[in-house]
Amino acid sequence: VHTRLARLESDETVSYSKPLLSKEELILQVGIRRFRSTPIFSKGKREPYRFVRSFDVNERLQASYYGRVAYLPSPVLAFLPSSRIDPASQGRGEVEGMGNLTGNAVAAAAARPPPLLPPFDRTLGPLVATGWVEAVDPFRVMLRHRILNGKIFKVHKYNSATMRDLVYCKEDGEFLKDVKLWTHTGLEGRIQRCIGTHGNLKCTFTGKPTLGEAAFMTLYKRQFPPLNLTTLLDDCVPPISTNKGIA
């Protein structure tokens, strides 16, 4: 599910000003449904969309997640979760709110079996973003890009040069042999072969490179939202009793 979210200072309902990170757990109110999710953020007007790490104030981004069926254009509210169980009390049989209990009530609460799924945080934190459902498309492409840079330290005849510091082993150079190189002066090139075992590369360019010039390589990786089944099953699976009666 792909939603379009906005965080605007002019919106008085959005009071959280810190940046939101991709894959950070949020509570989404999509239409009439409320559930936990870990969306990833991207931006762009058409495919491929560019993956972004954080969602800052006064930005409009797309948030993608695996979730329940949603109809367009359902309204979306994004909240931060607030803790329901004290982390310091986990593992000692203590339950939040037991300070007001005495006697048999404390014993019954302490003997209560743990839930099969992580407890759903019903107490909402601050509202962090608002928006609507934009599309339901499992084939949307969201890409993360990285730029590797190397340095030309030897120039040869016929527009060829030797470059280093782009990769540091022969195997990586062979793997990236078909990826295009480019420079700030507008030259384009390819890796011709690897020299030695420490990542030195023999490259050819469309023009004569200069000594000490930097060459770059752009890499892309497709990104998917984290698939967490426990967030999809919040309040959907009733507790399963292990004590089966014999008729």
Side-chain angles (χ1 to χ4, degrees), residues 147-151 163-168 214-218:
I147 297 178
L148 306 181
N149 64 304
K151 184 179 180 180
M163 185 172 56
R164 63 186 175 191
D165 296 336
L166 184 74
V167 295
Y168 294 95
F216 303 89
M217 175 183 291
T218 306

Side-chain angles (χ1 to χ4, degrees), residues 103-174:
N104 295 332
V106 175
R112 187 181 304 162
L116 296 178
L117 297 176
F120 181 54
D121 193 354
R122 297 181 182 278
T123 57
L124 298 178
L127 178 66
V128 294
T130 60
W132 65 91
V133 176
E134 184 182 43
V136 180
D137 183 11
F139 303 106
R140 174 176 288 194
V141 178
M142 293 162 288
L143 296 180
R144 171 188 288 183
H145 88 287
R146 288 289 179 270
I147 297 178
L148 306 181
N149 64 304
K151 184 179 180 180
I152 297 175
F153 71 96
K154 190 181 294 185
V155 179
H156 309 288
K157 296 180 180 179
Y158 308 111
N159 299 335
S160 63
T162 304
M163 185 172 56
R164 63 186 175 191
D165 296 336
L166 184 74
V167 295
Y168 294 95
C169 64
K170 182 178 179 180
E171 290 75 14
D172 290 343
E174 293 290 344

Side-chain angles (χ1 to χ4, degrees), residues 31-68:
I32 61 173
R33 295 186 173 95
R34 179 180 298 175
F35 51 91
R36 292 179 295 174
S37 182
T38 52
I40 63 173
F41 302 120
S42 60
K43 62 181 179 180
K45 296 183 179 180
R46 62 178 183 271
E47 288 188 321
Y49 294 88
R50 180 179 174 182
F51 171 82
V52 294
R53 288 180 175 270
S54 61
F55 188 8
D56 297 322
V57 180
N58 290 330
E59 281 190 337
R60 298 176 183 268
L61 298 178
Q62 291 92 7
S64 304
Y65 62 92
Y66 292 109
R68 299 184 175 94

Side-chain angles (χ1 to χ4, degrees), residues 173-189:
E174 293 290 344
F175 181 77
L176 301 174
K177 203 171 183 179
D178 296 329
V179 183
K180 183 175 67 175
L181 300 171
W182 56 275
T183 65
H184 284 311
T185 57
L187 300 180
E188 296 182 355

Side-chain angles (χ1 to χ4, degrees), residues 233-245:
L233 298 177
D234 280 335
D235 299 340
C236 291
V237 180
I240 301 175
S241 176
T242 57
N243 298 327
K244 297 182 179 180

Side-chain angles (χ1 to χ4, degrees), residues 97-113:
M98 286 178 55
N100 298 329
L101 301 180
T102 57
N104 295 332
V106 175
R112 187 181 304 162

